[in-house]
Amino acid sequence: MSLIVYIVLAIVIVALIIGLYQKSTNAICMSKKRLDGKTAIVTGGTAGMGLETAMDFAERGARVIIACPFQREGEDALKLITDKTGNKDVVFKLLDLSSLTSTRKFAIDIIDTEKRLDILINNAGVGTVDKTLTDDGMSFIMQVNYFGPFLLTLLLLPLLNKTGTISEPARIVNLSSISHNFGYINFNRINDTKYLFRLQFYSNSKLCLILFAHELSKKLQGNVVVNCVDPGYVGTRIFDSAGTIFGPILIIFGLLFFKTAWYGAQTSIYAALDSEAGKVSGQMFKNCQLSRAKRSAYNDETSQKLWNKSISLVGLRSEELEKCFQ
Ligand SMILES: NC(=O)c1ccc[n+]([C@@H]2O[C@H](COP(=O)([O-])OP(=O)(O)OC[C@H]3O[C@@H](n4cnc5c(N)ncnc54)[C@H](OP(=O)(O)O)[C@@H]3O)[C@@H](O)[C@H]2O)c1
Ligand SMILES: *[C@@H]1O[C@H](CO)[C@@H](O)[C@H](O)[C@H]1NC(C)=O
Ligand SMILES: *[C@@H]1O[C@H](CO)[C@@H](O)[C@H](O)[C@H]1NC(C)=O
Ligand SMILES: *[C@@H]1O[C@H](CO)[C@@H](O)[C@H](O)[C@H]1NC(C)=O
Ligand SMILES: *[C@@H]1O[C@H](CO)[C@@H](O)[C@H](O)[C@H]1NC(C)=O
């Protein structure tokens, strides 16, 4: 009996030490940059890291557009941000990334009504939720985390390109994850809606984001840069969906290693603001530093093939695509 007590005690002590170490390495974005006169979109800027990111941009004086599928939650977040920062130029718009129609509607609205777009944070994402199928017939996790942001980014590209300059490029930041390491791309299964583990969809979607950063960065001129961020392990309600197998494992790891949403947002903010970060494209940041995804995330053939496949799956017609790149 006493042996078990000792073992448990040892585990707790090790966990505390690792947790403290992890926290001591948490980097903070030190940029003092103001964003007055600039416009930023944070998808899912209504909870977790997205909310913290939107709050930070609002504090720096930006016009901030937050977007999620629920009116009530959006309005609550909006009130929170304006109350706390005093910035009245914050808006909420409905956006459901699990619907191609909603994603298009949102993008057209932005293109029609906004004069500029300096920053796009593709933050919205779901964890390993139960829902398997979207109305468009795709995997729910893949569409919210990858196909939706793919379509949104391309449709917003003309406005980003118009706003950015070589000396001050517009910036696209995608929220990837350490779990991209478990992701793999099987082109025969890219539109699959069944996997043994839902975590596989999540990991695949995060790998796709990096491959896309890689491919898109090759197609952009210097006035728009696109980079990915691995925020680390952040304690948000995204893990609520983890289910009976992974849930408890993740919760234990969460207790050991988790960051708060405010810390989790720092690397996104860094990628969006820091002057050094604006000089690179197609890269990955972690703890406010340049980092590296796994090797296969930079494979030109895979990224090109995924690009082609994604275009047809989200139904972008070639004349539309041309408009995105004019
Ligand atoms: N937490 C981590 O440890 C971790 C690690 C690596 C990467 N990430 C990534 O970081 C990003 C932010 O995660 P978080 O931890 O801050 O999660 P979160 O607290 O669950 O926030 C997710 C946000 O996305 C929005 N969203 C969900 N489904 C959407 C949809 N269909 N259309 C539009 N918006 C939608 C949510 O809006 P509603 O509240 O209205 O649903 C919410 O604002 C995600 O991309 C996640 O994959 C997180
Ligand atoms: C993707 O798969 C779904 C479900 O199998 C199907 O309904 C949909 O048409 C597919 N989409 C494309 C573009 O193949
Ligand atoms: C961000 O994701 C969008 C959608 O997947 C994609 O078009 C773009 O290339 C990606 N950029 C990065 C940095 O991953
Ligand atoms: C992708 O599509 C382009 C244009 O249609 C084509 O030239 C290219 O060979 C395709 N790439 C791959 C890897 O399929
Ligand atoms: C961006 O705009 C420039 C003109 O300022 C144009 O030459 C270039 O083709 C555009 N690039 C994209 C990716 O749309």
Side-chain angles (χ1 to χ4, degrees):
M1 195 60 199
S2 67
L3 183 65
I4 293 174
V5 173
Y6 279 123
I7 290 173
V8 169
L9 207 66
I11 291 174
V12 169
I13 289 171
V14 170
L16 275 174
I17 293 171
I18 295 174
L20 280 175
Y21 172 75
Q22 159 88 10
K23 280 183 191 146
S24 74
T25 61
N26 279 354
I28 295 173
C29 174
M30 303 300 259
S31 175
K32 296 265 184 298
K33 186 167 171 180
R34 294 282 310 170
L35 295 174
D36 305 284
K38 302 216 183 317
T39 302
I41 294 179
V42 183
T43 67
T46 55
M49 281 181 264
L51 178 59
E52 295 293 344
T53 308
M55 190 81 84
D56 181 283
F57 292 167
E59 225 144 43
R60 294 173 195 265
R63 170 173 170 76
V64 184
I65 299 163
I66 56 175
C68 82
F70 306 107
Q71 187 78 28
R72 177 69 198 285
E73 178 169 331
E75 281 166 8
D76 288 351
L78 183 63
K79 187 164 182 314
L80 204 69
I81 297 172
T82 42
D83 284 355
K84 201 165 162 199
T85 64
N87 184 337
K88 297 274 180 287
D89 200 9
V90 182
V91 276
F92 165 70
K93 285 182 194 279
L94 280 175
L95 163 67
D96 184 356
L97 288 163
S98 73
S99 152
L100 295 175
T101 309
S102 167
T103 306
R104 278 176 178 276
K105 209 169 138 206
F106 175 83
I108 288 167
D109 176 25
I110 296 289
I111 295 282
D112 285 349
T113 58
E114 296 296 325
K115 285 188 268 314
R116 59 185 299 138
L117 181 56
D118 301 88
I119 299 170
L120 168 63
I121 309 279
N122 282 318
N123 161 84
V126 288
T128 48
V129 286
D130 287 327
K131 210 165 169 200
T132 50
L133 205 64
T134 66
D135 293 344
D136 299 302
M138 296 196 216
S139 143
F140 188 82
I141 299 174
M142 278 295 280
Q143 189 166 351
V144 173
N145 289 5
Y146 171 65
F147 289 114
F150 173 85
L151 178 62
L152 180 65
T153 305
L154 290 189
L155 292 175
L156 293 178
L157 210 48
L159 189 57
L160 287 157
N161 191 42
K162 197 177 87 184
T163 308
T165 60
I166 298 288
S167 60
E168 196 160 11
R171 303 198 196 188
I172 307 170
V173 178
N174 287 348
L175 270 281
S176 187
S177 163
I178 183 102
S179 66
H180 82 269
N181 284 299
F182 305 114
Y184 67 89
I185 309 291
N186 176 343
F187 285 103
N188 297 323
R189 299 195 61 184
I190 199 84
N191 189 31
D192 256 25
T193 53
K194 285 197 190 71
Y195 267 105
L196 196 51
F197 296 114
R198 283 169 285 165
L199 190 60
Q200 194 60 58
F201 282 116
Y202 183 80
S203 307
N204 292 353
S205 73
K206 295 301 178 183
L207 175 59
C208 284
L209 283 176
I210 306 173
L211 282 157
F212 258 89
H214 180 65
E215 189 61 25
L216 182 61
S217 70
K218 291 192 281 182
K219 298 181 195 296
L220 297 171
Q221 278 73 28
N223 39 350
V224 182
V225 297
V226 50
N227 289 297
C228 285
V229 158
D230 172 4
Y233 204 80
V234 187
T236 66
R237 45 146 217 220
I238 202 165
F239 296 114
D240 291 359
S241 60
T244 43
I245 299 173
F246 287 107
I249 298 173
L250 288 173
I251 287 165
I252 291 168
F253 274 95
L255 286 173
L256 299 178
F257 302 123
F258 84 106
K259 295 182 186 189
T260 62
W262 186 85
Y263 272 110
Q266 293 303 309
T267 303
S268 293
I269 297 167
Y270 173 85
L273 301 182
D274 184 83
S275 55
E276 289 303 308
K279 290 178 187 156
V280 297
S281 194
Q283 301 299 317
M284 173 97 158
F285 291 100
K286 193 172 177 173
N287 272 327
C288 298
Q289 272 181 349
L290 210 53
S291 172
R292 200 73 197 149
K294 74 168 169 179
R295 191 126 146 255
S296 61
Y298 303 99
N299 183 298
D300 285 317
E301 201 192 322
T302 315
S303 68
Q304 215 185 85
K305 223 169 147 184
L306 180 65
W307 176 278
N308 288 2
K309 192 88 191 168
S310 306
I311 294 214
S312 76
L313 281 172
V314 301
L316 266 174
R317 296 184 308 273
S318 56
E319 66 272 17
E320 264 184 313
L321 190 62
E322 246 165 63
K323 262 205 265 167
C324 299
F325 283 96
Q326 68 195 207

